[in-house]
Amino acid sequence: MTPEQKRQLKAHTDAIAAILLADAKAKCPERLETLEGIELTVRQQIQEHVSPQVGIFLSSMAAAPPPENTRTLTSILGDLVLTANPASYYPVKAYSRWSPGFERCCLLLSGAQSYQRAAADVEILTGLKMSRSTHQRLVQRQDFPDLEVSEPSEPVEEMSLDGGKVRLRTPEGEASEWRDYKAVNLHGHGVAAFFGQNEDLVAWLKTQLMASLVVCLGDGHPGIWNLFAQIGAQQNRLEILDWYHLMENLEKVGGSAARLSRVRGHLWRGDVEQALAEFDDWQHPRVDNFRVYLKRHCHRIVNYDYYQCEGISIGSGAVESTVKQFSGRLKLPGAQWKRENVPQVLKHRSAYLNGEFSRMPWLA
């Protein structure tokens, strides 16, 4: 901007400020008694009178159209009137009442919390209203982008899988129905979740760029390892039983603290045979269960000490944290979901956790 342009802009903004001040004193002088009142008043005036006029540059490329060829969108600038040509030139959805920028704000907030809370927060942050039910409809009609790892210099080297539960809506008076979903964390790349779509999860993982050897972390649930087995050849996977889950199972055995400490030391070095030998003189159902557990996963119990020193993950804390973050959206107090809506809600939450709504499109 040239010095002359800055001078002209200053003169015009001074004139605009004087007009807005006079209008505010005439309509709502009590709001001008606090700084917050001034902020909210100026924002409302700018969105109502100033921003839409400034935003007219969107249609400046087209000749003046007849009135029936215009669209009005609720925007973070206020109500924007777009002509037919710019409305088709810019990525504005057909029949939408909301601008892309305002939709992004709404999806960012509703991806983090309930639709009702998002509706209240959107109004506080933008001065614009969108009802709770409209937030929900907005999510259901979105085409959320899938996470895609395709950069050759940064292939997926580690991944974790775990499962969570979602409460489905049932007829009044019937018991709650909980169903499983699977969450996957491509360490350092992003997350995704799938509801009753294990084949889709496997198909999606097969599209990602993987390293020649991928560390696969999970707990003791056989369903997790069955999914890993479908992703690639065994020689391309290094399966590691989550250390923290292993310790949880050891603590369930109970008994002598000294014995548990010795077993913990053996397992930390990946010595399953010595760990099993510690229980040779003790017969108990809890011990029997733990011995079966160790034998089932012995090839996944590695030298955790060595791998940790090498900077390789030994725990699936990353994906368990991811499940907790999905649960933070799905398991709100009293929340129940229609079965057909759950996949889209998971995609919405995934996009939120991957920072999709926090990226500035012009910096992409």
Side-chain angles (χ1 to χ4, degrees):
M1 186 178 293
T2 67
E4 177 58 22
Q5 288 174 323
K6 291 182 179 179
R7 187 194 64 76
Q8 292 181 17
L9 184 61
K10 173 81 165 53
H12 290 311
T13 52
D14 286 347
I16 291 172
I19 294 172
L20 296 182
L21 177 59
D23 178 67
K25 285 183 175 179
K27 292 181 178 178
C28 47
E30 68 282 356
R31 292 189 183 179
L32 305 182
E33 296 176 0
T34 66
L35 180 57
E36 183 179 13
I38 293 172
E39 289 179 296
L40 297 177
T41 299
V42 171
R43 183 180 69 181
Q44 179 183 357
Q45 289 178 315
I46 288 177
Q47 287 180 332
E48 184 175 352
H49 303 294
V50 181
S51 294
Q53 296 301 313
V54 175
I56 284 180
F57 77 88
L58 291 172
S59 58
S60 62
M61 296 181 296
E68 62 270 18
N69 287 342
T70 63
R71 289 177 59 189
T72 301
L73 296 179
T74 298
S75 160
I76 54 179
L77 299 176
D79 286 338
L80 283 183
V81 178
L82 299 184
T83 65
N85 285 352
S88 60
Y89 175 80
Y90 292 102
V92 179
K93 297 175 184 176
Y95 310 111
S96 176
R97 297 167 47 206
W98 318 103
S99 73
F102 183 51
E103 282 193 356
R104 177 187 290 264
C105 292
C106 295
L107 291 170
L108 174 63
L109 290 173
S110 62
Q113 55 194 341
S114 70
Y115 298 126
Q116 184 171 356
R117 184 72 259 172
D121 288 352
V122 161
E123 186 174 359
I124 290 293
L125 295 173
T126 69
L128 305 170
K129 293 183 179 181
M130 179 184 281
S131 69
R132 177 197 63 78
S133 57
T134 305
H135 273 276
Q136 185 174 10
R137 289 195 297 271
L138 176 65
V139 168
Q140 289 301 317
R141 69 169 183 252
Q142 288 297 310
D143 183 17
F144 296 112
D146 290 328
L147 178 69
E148 181 179 0
V149 180
S150 57
E151 176 57 51
S153 63
E154 295 184 5
V156 176
E157 296 181 343
E158 295 182 352
M159 70 172 74
S160 303
L161 273 172
D162 201 3
K165 290 187 177 294
V166 57
R167 183 185 183 191
L168 301 183
R169 183 173 297 176
T170 53
E172 187 175 353
E174 293 188 11
S176 298
E177 183 179 352
W178 293 87
R179 288 293 179 265
D180 295 332
Y181 66 89
K182 295 293 190 302
V184 57
N185 189 317
L186 305 181
H187 297 194
H189 295 282
V191 301
F194 297 81
F195 175 67
Q197 303 166 303
N198 287 347
E199 64 282 0
D200 291 344
L201 186 156
V202 172
W204 174 76
L205 281 174
K206 288 182 176 180
T207 66
Q208 308 304 315
L209 181 64
M210 301 286 181
S212 56
L213 182 64
V214 180
V215 174
C216 299
L217 285 154
D219 59 21
H221 195 285
I224 297 298
W225 302 107
N226 290 339
L227 288 173
F228 277 134
Q230 300 176 52
I231 295 168
Q234 176 119 29
Q235 62 267 26
N236 299 126
R237 302 192 312 272
L238 173 58
E239 297 184 353
I240 298 180
L241 182 66
D242 168 31
W243 169 255
Y244 305 102
H245 187 270
L246 176 58
M247 290 300 99
E248 285 179 359
N249 278 271
L250 174 60
E251 292 300 324
K252 293 177 183 178
V253 176
S256 164
R259 187 202 305 265
L260 294 181
S261 179
R262 292 194 301 272
V263 173
R264 188 178 300 110
H266 295 317
L267 293 175
W268 181 243
R269 295 183 295 275
D271 193 340
V272 177
E273 290 301 321
Q274 286 295 324
L276 288 169
E278 292 287 347
F279 297 105
D280 286 345
D281 62 345
W282 188 16
Q283 300 295 320
H284 192 280
R286 292 196 304 270
V287 175
D288 295 340
N289 290 338
F290 187 65
R291 290 174 67 91
V292 170
Y293 173 79
L294 290 184
K295 291 177 181 179
R296 181 188 304 127
H297 296 291
C298 61
H299 59 292
R300 301 183 180 112
I301 298 174
V302 299
N303 187 330
Y304 294 97
D305 184 30
Y306 170 78
Y307 277 80
Q308 187 179 63
C309 291
E310 290 296 310
I312 298 174
S313 297
I314 61 171
S316 57
V319 75
E320 290 183 2
S321 173
T322 302
V323 167
K324 289 179 182 177
Q325 291 184 71
F326 277 104
S327 296
R329 181 66 185 89
L330 293 171
K331 290 186 177 181
L332 295 169
Q336 299 182 64
W337 302 91
K338 290 184 178 179
R339 180 186 295 269
E340 62 270 22
N341 289 349
V342 173
Q344 190 71 352
V345 173
L346 290 174
K347 286 184 177 180
H348 182 204
R349 184 64 169 176
S350 298
Y352 170 79
L353 294 175
N354 291 331
E356 185 65 34
F357 310 120
S358 302
R359 298 189 185 100
M360 297 302 181
W362 53 86
L363 296 179

